[in-house]
């Protein structure tokens, strides 16, 4: 019965759309329009009334970081003591974690129970469910909530994330929240490192339409050398220049978890990180072992990095055991290959 009701509602909206005439604007009228300057939930990170994706691999602290963002916004304080925020009430839709785990994480970061943060936990919310949309929008309206965090895309999407048309429909529905004056932050997973081509945006799992649809994309990666260091990068910011990559340290005590801004990441290190990802991808996709010269050319074709940077990245991968090398038997040329996965 509910599905029939939803279908009738969709048909009604389609008919309303068909009967409404388009409103075109002349160039002269456009020049005369005045728009406010860019407005931010968190400056240079999360545009107000837009959609931001925060992505990362499993255990990369992406949910922790979004909770930290939510706390800063709820207080109207600077995120990481650096990025200004606009104070607002927040709804966190968590379809990933049990409330017990949500409580544990929030208390480890801030024990203030009076913050204007509300939770909708494991209720089976789906973005494309019109009835569920209306319920959440009503909650936001009744409580004066202007920002919604969603964990995660895969849990609130009942379509194939690899199909562009499906994801286009998903984001059309999600943008209804933005039209209602609500800022959306969506957590999403990244591809396995060997399957991403190095560019930050290509790490997002699923259709490329996901990146195309959002206003900002922030990626979080855990350092291979130190599990307590996170690198935060931005592949897209529709309304401004992307921020430079920076590092965060994670420190645990018995009762608390602290996140500290360490400063911008040296550009050369960021290039090396991209080079490593492309090297691993090239070796994984190749049916044969690759000569070092071939690897250097492959990386140069994907990223604007010099030979020296590629060779340093390859040397570090070999040292870590992620890539193996041997002599090809031809003029002492070295060839590289991936280690055989253990059973």
């Amino acid at each position: 019965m509910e599905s029939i009701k939803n279908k009738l509602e969709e048909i009604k909206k389609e008919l309303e759309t068909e009967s409404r005439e388009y409103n075109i604007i002349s160039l002269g009228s456009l020049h005369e329009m005045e728009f406010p300057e860019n407005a931010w939930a968190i400056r240079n990170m999360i545009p107000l009334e837009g959609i931001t994706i925060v992505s990362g691999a499993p255990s990369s602290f992406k949910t922790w970081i979004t909770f930290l963002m939510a706390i800063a916004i709820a207080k109207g304080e600077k995120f990481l003591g650096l990025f200004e925020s606009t104070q607002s009430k927040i709804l966190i839709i968590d379809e990933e974690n049990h409330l017990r785990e949500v409580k544990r994480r929030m208390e480890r970061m801030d024990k203030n129970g009076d913050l204007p943060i509300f939770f909708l936990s494991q209720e089976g919310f789906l973005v494309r469910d019109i009835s569920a949309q209306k319920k959440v929008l009503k909650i936001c309206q009744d409580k004066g909530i202007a920002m919604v965090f969603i964990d995660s895309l895969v849990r609130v999407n009942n379509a194939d994330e690899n199909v562009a048309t499906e994801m286009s429909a998903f984001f059309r529905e999600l943008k209804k929240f933005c039209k209602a004056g609500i800022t959306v932050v969506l957590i999403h997973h990244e591809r396995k490192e060997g399957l991403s081509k190095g560019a930050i945006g290509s790490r997002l799992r699923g259709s490329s339409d996901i990146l195309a649809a959002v206003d900002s994309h922030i990626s979080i990666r855990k350092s291979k050398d130190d599990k307590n260091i996170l690198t935060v990068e931005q592949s897209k910011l529709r309304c401004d220049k992307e921020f430079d990559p920076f590092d965060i340290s994670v420190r645990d005590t018995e009762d608390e978890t602290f996140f500290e801004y360490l400063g911008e990441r040296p550009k050369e290190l960021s290039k090396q990180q991209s080079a490593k990802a492309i090297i691993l991808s090239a070796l994984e996709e190749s049916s044969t072992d690759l000569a070092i010269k071939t690897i250097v050319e492959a990386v140069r074709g994907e990223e604007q990095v010099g030979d020296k940077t590629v060779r340093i990245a390859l040397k570090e991968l070999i040292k870590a055991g992620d890539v193996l090398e041997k002599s090809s038997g031809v003029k002492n040329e070295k060839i590289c290959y991936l280690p055989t996965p253990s059973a």
Side-chain angles (χ1 to χ4, degrees), residues 64 67-68 71 105-111 257 259:
W64 288 83
F67 280 1
L68 195 66
I71 290 169
R105 294 184 183 189
M106 292 296 289
E107 285 184 342
R108 288 192 65 84
M109 289 187 287
D110 196 295
K111 291 181 168 55
T257 298
F259 294 85

Side-chain angles (χ1 to χ4, degrees), residues 17 48 72 126 147-148 176 235 274 305:
T17 301
L48 279 177
L126 293 171
M147 189 157 189
V148 174
K176 290 179 181 178
S235 74
S274 293
V305 295

Side-chain angles (χ1 to χ4, degrees), residues 143-306:
K143 295 192 175 293
I145 291 168
M147 189 157 189
V148 174
F149 286 78
I150 301 175
D151 192 0
S152 62
L153 186 152
V154 69
R155 301 291 174 229
V156 298
N157 172 39
N158 56 350
D160 189 340
E161 68 181 27
N162 295 297
V163 178
T165 52
E166 294 286 359
M167 295 317 300
S168 178
F170 172 88
F171 280 101
R172 264 199 312 274
E173 296 301 323
L174 194 59
K175 284 178 181 178
K176 290 179 181 178
F177 286 83
C178 302
K179 289 180 180 178
I182 295 170
T183 304
V184 177
V185 175
L186 185 63
I187 297 176
H188 189 36
H189 300 288
E190 293 186 354
R191 307 175 196 272
K192 293 180 181 179
E193 187 165 309
L195 297 177
S196 61
K197 291 283 189 180
I200 305 165
S202 68
R203 297 174 191 165
L204 283 173
R205 203 177 68 186
S207 166
S208 59
D209 207 66
I210 295 174
L211 181 62
V214 302
D215 300 288
S216 174
H217 169 224
I218 298 167
S219 173
I220 300 167
R221 284 210 160 182
K222 190 184 290 186
S223 169
K224 283 188 174 182
D225 303 320
D226 186 342
K227 65 179 182 179
N228 294 316
I229 301 293
L230 308 176
T231 297
V232 182
E233 301 172 282
Q234 191 173 48
S235 74
K236 178 180 181 180
L237 183 59
R238 199 188 298 275
C239 59
D240 211 326
K241 181 181 179 295
E242 296 89 2
F243 61 71
D244 290 325
F246 61 86
D247 287 342
I248 298 174
S249 69
V250 185
R251 181 168 57 88
D252 283 324
T253 65
E254 185 177 346
D255 300 316
E256 296 180 273
T257 298
F258 298 93
F259 294 85
E260 182 183 0
Y261 176 82
L262 297 179
E264 290 184 3
R265 188 172 183 81
K267 287 184 171 57
E268 197 57 38
L269 288 179
S270 297
K271 288 181 179 180
Q272 285 178 25
Q273 189 177 41
S274 293
K276 286 180 182 180
I278 299 170
I279 290 167
L280 291 171
S281 178
L283 288 169
E284 185 170 282
E285 293 177 2
S286 176
S287 57
T288 60
D289 302 337
L290 297 178
I292 290 177
K293 181 180 178 181
T294 303
I295 291 172
V296 171
E297 290 173 352
V299 176
R300 276 205 316 244
E302 290 283 346
E303 292 280 327
Q304 296 298 316
V305 295

Side-chain angles (χ1 to χ4, degrees), residues 85-179:
S85 72
T86 300
Q87 197 279 334
S88 73
K89 294 181 180 180
I90 288 167
L91 174 65
I92 296 177
I93 300 176
D94 195 325
E95 294 291 342
E96 288 275 357
N97 304 292
H98 191 280
L99 271 175
R100 183 189 303 108
E101 178 61 15
V102 173
K103 177 178 183 287
R104 184 186 76 84
R105 294 184 183 189
M106 292 296 289
E107 285 184 342
R108 288 192 65 84
M109 289 187 287
D110 196 295
K111 291 181 168 55
N112 183 357
D114 295 326
L115 293 177
I117 300 177
F118 303 87
F119 298 90
L120 186 67
S121 176
Q122 297 184 330
E123 291 285 346
F125 170 76
L126 293 171
V127 166
R128 294 173 70 177
D129 182 331
I130 305 301
S131 174
Q133 266 186 44
K134 289 181 177 179
K135 289 177 184 177
V136 171
L137 285 169
K138 187 175 187 307
I139 289 170
C140 293
Q141 184 180 23
D142 291 346
K143 295 192 175 293
I145 291 168
M147 189 157 189
V148 174
F149 286 78
I150 301 175
D151 192 0
S152 62
L153 186 152
V154 69
R155 301 291 174 229
V156 298
N157 172 39
N158 56 350
D160 189 340
E161 68 181 27
N162 295 297
V163 178
T165 52
E166 294 286 359
M167 295 317 300
S168 178
F170 172 88
F171 280 101
R172 264 199 312 274
E173 296 301 323
L174 194 59
K175 284 178 181 178
K176 290 179 181 178
F177 286 83
C178 302
K179 289 180 180 178

Side-chain angles (χ1 to χ4, degrees), residues 7-23:
K7 188 63 179 175
L8 289 172
E9 187 71 26
E10 288 179 15
I11 293 170
K12 181 182 175 183
K13 288 189 176 182
E14 286 176 8
L15 290 172
E16 288 174 352
T17 301
E18 288 175 4
S19 62
R20 180 174 57 84
E21 293 185 0
Y22 290 128
N23 179 32

